[in-house]
Structures are given as structure tokens and as C-alpha cells.
Amino acid sequence: FPITKVDPKWTSIPYGKPIRNARYHILDAKLEPVPVGTLGELHIGGLCLANGYWQRPDLTAERFINDPFRPGERLYKTGDLPRYMPDGNIEFLGRIDLQVKIRGFRVELGEVEAALTQHPSVRDAIVKPFRDESGNISLTGFVVRKALVEGIALANHLRVSLPDHMVPANFVFLDALPITPNGKVDSCLLYTSDAADE
């Protein structure tokens, strides 16, 4: 993806489009193509594919599958969760192995974060699961605001595009997300930050 300027509406730098001699498919659990804007798993095919994992026939069988669109060829299940943007580019939102289960539903935290950052008063956001004393898991949204906004307004904003189980039960407002020396969000410091909980 050629980057000339960073659109403030982006939740991440887009993947772009397939490299030469590669085919990218965003598919659902039934290996059906998903509509534009819908989250799915990225599957890659074409001449760029490896033969498999070194000395791991089990993992090779799990991740390298028959291509449902080209008999005799294979696709690689990447575990990445992207969606198509309206212009045909691909936007990355997270990983399958980072999904959490909320009330029996699998939730991709990156999808909730992407929806949160679409609110005009939100500069940055990260969503984390937390387990209460009864063992129930709920989501908390950590938000850096551009303008004053309350948690109830953010929850209502999310309910327009997300099901109820994906809406955080709590919002914590921060001046900035805590960052590690290598530039990643330091999850260990989230609850120790000077923050307002709503």
C-alpha cells in the first residue's frame, strides 16, 4: 500500500492489495467470501505459498487447506482478521488467536477498537477483557479523548454497528495510552494509570 498521507479515519495502515502471483481471500468460517466491511479470516493462495511447516504435518494440515475456488490448489489460513475497504484495499483488525469469548460469543477486540475510534471525540482506544470474581468476562474500553464524551455516549455509538455483547461494560479515560519502550501498548499499566472510570 503506497502511503502518501495517513487518513485519520484509518484504524491501521491498510494491507493494500495482493502482491504479484498471490491471491487474497477474506472468508467466513464456511469458506465463503465476506461482504465489503465485514470481518473474516485472510486466506492466501498463489505461487507465493510455502509447501508447509517444517516437520509439522499436523500444523500443515490445519493451516494449508484445499482451495475451494481452484481445485487442485491450496490456500493458507493466516489467522489474520481483516476486512475489505470500499476501495478494494484490505484493512487489518486483529488475529483469531486474540479473540475472546463473551457470553458464548467470540469477539475480536480489534473490531471493537476500530468502531470506538470512529467516534469523533475519540483519539485512540484499546479494549481488554476482564474477569470478575464470579468468573464472568466483560470488556473495558480504554479511551484517549479528543473532546469531552461520556461512556454512555460511546456505548450508544457502538450499539449502532455492534451487537450488545461487543459493547464494553466500562470505559476508562486516559490522557494517553501507556506505551512500552518498543512502542506497543503496555497492558500491565492500563489499570495503574491516572484515569477516570465510567
Side-chain angles (χ1 to χ4, degrees), residues 27-104:
L27 307 177
D28 63 19
K30 297 179 181 178
L31 300 181
E32 296 286 340
V34 300
V36 171
T38 302
L39 205 64
E41 182 177 2
L42 180 64
H43 293 66
I44 297 179
L47 297 176
C48 62
L49 235 54
N51 292 325
Y53 286 94
W54 176 252
Q55 297 183 343
R56 289 292 308 274
D58 56 331
L59 194 55
T60 297
E62 177 187 332
R63 302 299 287 273
F64 289 83
I65 64 171
N66 292 327
D67 187 334
F69 312 107
R70 296 191 178 202
E73 297 192 28
R74 297 179 309 150
L75 292 178
Y76 175 65
K77 294 167 60 73
T78 66
D80 289 341
L81 292 171
R83 63 184 173 191
Y84 283 112
M85 299 167 73
D87 62 3
N89 284 300
I90 295 172
E91 177 186 28
F92 172 75
L93 290 175
R95 294 269 313 159
I96 284 178
D97 50 18
L98 295 180
Q99 288 182 330
V100 296
K101 201 172 234 186
I102 307 289
R103 291 181 289 196

Side-chain angles (χ1 to χ4, degrees), residues 119 121-122 143 145-154 173 198:
H119 192 285
S121 295
V122 174
V143 177
R145 294 180 280 200
K146 289 191 276 189
L148 185 62
V149 64
E150 296 182 356
I152 188 67
L154 293 179
F173 296 103
E198 293 186 14

Side-chain angles (χ1 to χ4, degrees), residues 83-198:
R83 63 184 173 191
Y84 283 112
M85 299 167 73
D87 62 3
N89 284 300
I90 295 172
E91 177 186 28
F92 172 75
L93 290 175
R95 294 269 313 159
I96 284 178
D97 50 18
L98 295 180
Q99 288 182 330
V100 296
K101 201 172 234 186
I102 307 289
R103 291 181 289 196
F105 296 96
R106 291 210 168 271
V107 173
E108 167 52 46
L109 300 179
E111 189 171 6
V112 184
E113 292 165 356
L116 259 178
T117 56
Q118 293 302 310
H119 192 285
S121 295
V122 174
R123 182 182 310 283
D124 208 349
I126 189 165
V127 175
K128 291 292 181 184
F130 289 95
R131 190 182 302 271
D132 64 21
E133 294 176 356
S134 303
N136 299 315
I137 296 177
S138 62
L139 299 178
T140 295
F142 295 87
V143 177
V144 179
R145 294 180 280 200
K146 289 191 276 189
L148 185 62
V149 64
E150 296 182 356
I152 188 67
L154 293 179
N156 289 336
H157 162 77
L158 292 176
R159 287 190 180 98
V160 172
S161 59
L162 299 178
D164 191 59
H165 64 271
M166 294 179 71
V167 177
N170 301 294
F171 293 90
V172 177
F173 296 103
L174 306 169
D175 292 331
L177 296 178
I179 302 297
T180 65
N182 63 359
K184 295 184 178 180
V185 174
D186 191 339
S187 299
C188 296
L189 292 179
L190 283 174
Y191 266 132
T192 62
S193 301
D194 184 15
D197 190 358
E198 293 186 14

Side-chain angles (χ1 to χ4, degrees), residues 7-26:
D7 189 328
K9 295 179 182 176
W10 290 347
T11 56
S12 63
I13 300 298
Y15 266 176
K17 296 176 181 174
I19 59 174
R20 186 175 297 173
N21 296 320
R23 299 186 314 278
Y24 292 2
H25 303 278
I26 302 177

